[in-house]
Amino acid sequence: MAKRTIVAMPGDGIGKTVLDEAIRVLDAAGFEADYVQGDIGWEFWCKEGNPLPDRTIKLLEEHKIGLFGAITSKPKDDAAAELDPALRDKGFVYSSPIVGLRQHFNLDICARPCKTYKGNPLNFVRRGVGNTIEEPEVDVVIYRQNTEGLYGGVEWSDPPQQVYDALMTHPKFVKNFSHVPKNELSISTRIFSKNATERILRAAFEHARKYGYRSVTLCEKPNVIRETSGMMFKMAKQMQKNDYPEIELWNTNIDAQMMWLTKNPEDYGVIVAGNMFGDIVSDGFAGLIGGLGFACSANMGEQVAVFEPTHGSAPKYADYPVSIVNPIAMIASACMMLDFIDEKPTADRIRTAIAEVIEEGKVRTYDMMKMTGRPDVIEKGAASTRQMADAIIAKL
Ligand code: NAI
Ligand code: MG
């Protein structure tokens, strides 16, 4: 079979370190690929006025599959101040390149699995009957709509007159906001389209069917947010009835769901939600299985897919002489890439190796040792990023 080409986008800070380690693990597992470097991140903003250069977009158009580390993002004004002086006042405006990638390629389906590793000291525990301690096994996959809703970017402060006039046609706006001066209004919209809602729901149900999950839980707030959440709930019911009768559809509200995380997380299977609520509930579940060092994700569109840990560039650790961060989130994201390109047996071998290292408990990064991240954690017995990857490779 022809060798695949993967667009490797390290980005900034620890993104570079963890991506290198993930590629070493992929090599060791016998996955044969060529990696081309995709420039992305802060360096390219400062030097070129664009954190997502066109050449990177072209590489993804050509090769379709990307592995992404993490980027550093800063507010607009701070970003402008760090731009190369030769580029200042030329109209360059900073915006996050990973959000840009999701939008450019319409990577509308985001999957974030959260599965307990046996023996992980960071696993959530709770008190059971008679003061016992229980460690529920979490095995959840969150499907998050990735391009619309509150992150769709349709927002204004002091909205244009036409927008204001349109809002004034709504009785609730007249009642609650018409006394506020227009220039004191800030508006962020939550727009759901039927097509994108259908796609995320179907992806969730398909995942449940393929991997044998009993239920799909829609985690929104249809009783209050009647139009968007309401439409999603109606469509989910219809889809379940017509196409997935063997799978149960559960409906929870995002606020109650967050409370139930610590009560019965083992009861849930596939969760599906809009952009914002999906982001919230996936971070919540990630906290139960070890946090950012373990949280992996996939961003999938019809043409292109990009796989990334959900953590950021952790700038405070970026310049440590020996990197201390946990590479498992990145390596597990690379496994999701392998699943996606029909290399699941290789992905499963890597996941088994990760599970063995964690269960054995000899090699643990600082987060797993419950230490505060500082350069001296290595002296105190924490594994470095490289040592963790080496331990996984040794199991392979
Ligand atoms: P962050 O995820 O970089 O770090 C938050 C905390 O989690 C850090 O204190 C670090 O101790 C810990 N952490 C993160 N990754 C870890 C790992 N692999 N192993 C062990 N501990 C880990 O988020 P923060 O500090 O809010 O943001 C830093 C920069 O990253 C910002 O510029 C932010 O905009 C950007 N960011 C980028 C994301 C992306 O590229 N998708 C996502 C989130 C933040
Ligand atoms: Mg998040």
Side-chain angles (χ1 to χ4, degrees), residues 72-342:
T72 295
S73 198
K74 298 187 188 179
K76 255 202 276 192
D77 296 346
D78 299 8
E82 289 191 39
L83 198 54
D84 184 326
L87 298 174
R88 290 203 194 138
D89 305 314
K90 297 228 163 91
F92 293 107
V93 180
Y94 180 81
S95 66
S96 160
I98 180 65
V99 175
L101 263 188
R102 289 173 190 154
Q103 268 155 9
H104 181 88
F105 289 108
N106 195 25
L107 306 179
D108 62 329
I109 292 171
C110 175
R112 295 181 166 186
C114 295
K115 193 168 175 353
T116 304
Y117 288 101
K118 221 184 242 155
N120 185 351
L122 298 173
N123 286 344
F124 166 69
V125 293
R126 80 185 159 218
R127 213 175 279 286
V129 182
N131 249 355
T132 51
I133 297 293
E134 300 171 340
E135 191 174 309
E137 216 176 300
V138 178
D139 180 5
V140 161
V141 184
I142 294 99
Y143 273 81
R144 165 195 178 193
Q145 207 295 325
N146 219 14
T147 47
E148 303 192 332
L150 272 176
Y151 293 3
V154 183
E155 44 186 6
W156 306 268
S157 287
D158 188 7
Q161 192 63 43
Q162 294 114 300
V163 173
Y164 187 81
D165 292 343
L167 289 167
M168 283 295 277
T169 64
H170 199 294
K172 290 231 167 96
F173 186 85
V174 174
K175 180 157 173 271
N176 298 326
F177 298 105
S178 58
H179 63 281
V180 183
K182 186 167 84 64
N183 64 5
E184 288 182 20
L185 286 170
S186 285
I187 299 166
S188 301
T189 63
R190 187 176 200 263
I191 304 173
F192 282 29
S193 73
K194 241 186 172 151
N195 180 46
T197 306
E198 152 94 26
R199 276 176 50 79
I200 193 70
L201 289 170
R202 194 161 296 284
F205 276 112
E206 283 295 319
H207 189 95
R209 174 173 283 166
K210 186 165 172 195
Y211 295 102
Y213 288 92
R214 176 164 72 98
S215 64
V216 168
T217 302
L218 176 70
C219 181
E220 278 282 320
K221 187 98 184 174
N223 55 334
V224 178
I225 314 176
R226 289 170 190 279
E227 299 305 328
T228 45
S229 292
M231 174 181 83
M232 197 168 187
F233 184 37
K234 220 160 85 185
M235 288 173 70
K237 276 195 292 195
Q238 199 66 43
M239 191 179 284
Q240 186 271 340
K241 191 168 149 229
N242 292 346
D243 303 335
Y244 305 94
E246 82 280 15
I247 297 165
E248 290 175 33
L249 173 66
W250 300 351
N251 174 39
T252 63
N253 288 333
I254 176 69
D255 45 351
Q257 180 70 68
M258 294 312 286
M259 182 182 63
W260 291 330
L261 282 187
T262 54
K263 189 171 161 259
N264 62 339
E266 68 272 44
D267 289 347
Y268 299 94
V270 177
I271 302 231
V272 63
N275 209 334
M276 175 88 256
F277 296 161
D279 200 10
I280 293 173
V281 76
S282 62
D283 274 15
F285 272 106
L288 304 177
I289 58 122
L292 288 174
F294 296 85
C296 54
S297 80
N299 304 285
M300 298 168 284
E302 281 174 296
Q303 304 293 329
V304 169
V306 174
F307 301 83
E308 55 158 334
T310 61
H311 64 71
S313 61
K316 61 181 175 186
Y317 303 148
D319 300 323
Y320 281 18
V322 177
S323 171
I324 64 165
V325 297
N326 190 344
I328 290 176
M330 180 78 237
I331 296 168
S333 303
C335 290
M336 294 186 80
M337 173 190 81
L338 294 177
D339 291 339
F340 186 82
I341 58 177
D342 289 329

Side-chain angles (χ1 to χ4, degrees), residues 36-86:
V36 289
Q37 164 106 5
D39 295 339
I40 191 167
W42 200 247
E43 185 188 337
F44 303 98
W45 161 252
C46 297
K47 284 199 306 214
E48 303 174 23
N50 184 1
L52 179 55
D54 289 343
R55 56 186 180 277
T56 304
I57 303 264
K58 289 225 169 66
L59 282 176
L60 277 167
E61 269 165 10
E62 186 182 345
H63 302 297
K64 316 286 185 216
I65 302 289
L67 263 182
F68 170 69
I71 48 90
T72 295
S73 198
K74 298 187 188 179
K76 255 202 276 192
D77 296 346
D78 299 8
E82 289 191 39
L83 198 54
D84 184 326

